[in-house]
Amino acid sequence: MARVLTVTLNPALDLAIRVGPLRLGEVNRTESTRIDAAGKGINVARVLRRLGHDVTVSGLLGADNETAFLRAFAACGLHDAFIRVPGETRINAKLSEPDGRVTDLNGSGPRIPAHSLEALTERLWTLLPGLDAIAICGSLPPNVTPTQLAELVTVIRQFRVPVWLDTSGPALLAGLAARPTGAKPNETELAEWAGRPLDTPEERLRAALRLNAEGVDDVLLSAGAEGVIWARRGTALMAASPRVQVVSTVGAGDTLLAGTLHGVLSGWPRERGLRFATALAAESVRHIGVGDPDATDFEQLQQQTEVRGLTVDPLPGETHG
């Protein structure tokens, strides 16, 4: 059992709504609704705890509506190391339609007092010794800057603890410049880092390998139905997901990251870890919520997940680690 910390700077109460075909401007009846204490790092923590790891959750949490989070942490067996901040944690609404399309309506989150961010850094200093891995996940609150996120990555790296990053936009660009151990962009986010469109699998692979060469050891690239690429220190694998009926893609990326970390922390061969993580992410899209490794057909999903090596010839002047 590994000791893992997830950091969620901008958690959310996720209001998941399933509807029939959405008719804009009209009254729509819901098929189901549920509200969960969430945030990408908390989702990753849920999966890792279910897989047997000792997981602490931290970040910045609104003090005025923390009850759902406290219940979730207790139910999942997660250690609570969040810093409380004034105000309410945001609410994100996610509308899921029968064809698998999900529309997100995300709140921006509360403004963070300077002393709360300082308190978080101090708390992380106390938590870092003895950890096996850290995952920093999700968006930033309105007044937390990408530079501050990069500084957080730098602080963690001083302890030589592997740190994985899953965010987007300017936060991802700044965080990657701080050279985390691993990152989980999607194809759009990787293209933003590369500064140009990445329209083919070969172009995405080249960009992932270039990110390896620039100091990010592991790049886990999720490309939806096109599969998953895992580039590590100049070599790459690709997994093709099993075919499943899609109900909701919310939490699939978090499940993928957690499954991959589980394989790394367990010392598995990369092929086994990627197959496990990809199958678990596929399991998650069949329902609302993160993936369930205890699903009765999970072994079958793994058997249906194809993993193969990828190679690409370097361009002139290009290196791959």
Side-chain angles (χ1 to χ4, degrees), residues 1 34 42-55 75-78 255 258 262 276 280 283-284 287-295:
M1 178 174 66
R34 60 182 283 178
I42 295 172
N43 291 341
V44 170
R46 278 191 170 101
V47 178
L48 286 171
R49 182 69 191 102
R50 184 174 290 183
L51 291 168
H53 299 284
D54 183 6
V55 187
C76 297
L78 302 172
T255 299
H262 174 64
F276 177 92
L280 191 57
E283 197 289 322
S284 76
H287 54 81
I288 294 175
V290 295
D292 180 9
D294 297 322

Side-chain angles (χ1 to χ4, degrees), residues 43-231:
N43 291 341
V44 170
R46 278 191 170 101
V47 178
L48 286 171
R49 182 69 191 102
R50 184 174 290 183
L51 291 168
H53 299 284
D54 183 6
V55 187
T56 298
V57 289
S58 189
L60 302 164
L61 187 66
D64 292 352
N65 59 346
E66 67 173 7
T67 302
F69 291 92
L70 297 179
R71 290 174 179 166
F73 299 159
C76 297
L78 302 172
H79 306 301
D80 177 12
F82 270 90
I83 297 295
R84 270 47 176 188
V85 299
E88 294 187 344
T89 297
R90 64 191 176 132
I91 296 177
N92 291 343
K94 300 178 182 295
L95 301 176
S96 300
E97 299 177 69
D99 62 0
R101 184 174 69 171
V102 177
T103 301
D104 291 348
L105 302 172
N106 289 350
S108 59
R111 294 186 66 82
I112 306 302
H115 67 83
S116 296
L117 200 57
E118 293 169 2
L120 175 62
T121 302
E122 292 173 2
R123 180 160 296 180
L124 294 183
W125 276 98
T126 67
L127 295 171
L128 284 167
L131 288 176
D132 296 295
I134 297 175
I136 303 176
C137 306
S139 64
L140 302 182
N143 63 325
V144 174
T145 68
T147 298
Q148 288 171 312
L149 173 65
E151 291 170 351
L152 192 61
V153 173
T154 300
V155 166
I156 294 170
R157 295 219 63 174
Q158 291 175 5
F159 281 77
R160 300 188 181 278
V161 179
V163 52
W164 286 64
L165 182 66
D166 183 9
T167 185
S168 60
L172 177 62
L173 300 183
L176 290 176
R179 303 297 181 259
T181 309
K184 195 203 74 61
N186 59 32
E187 67 270 33
T188 302
E189 293 160 352
L190 186 63
E192 185 176 359
W193 173 81
R196 59 184 178 82
L198 302 174
D199 296 326
T200 67
E202 182 181 71
E203 289 175 323
R204 294 168 195 151
L205 175 58
R206 288 186 186 279
L209 293 172
R210 183 159 64 89
L211 192 50
N212 282 166
E214 295 194 10
V216 180
D217 289 346
D218 290 276
V219 179
L220 190 65
L221 175 62
S222 54
E226 294 187 32
V228 179
I229 293 174
W230 184 3

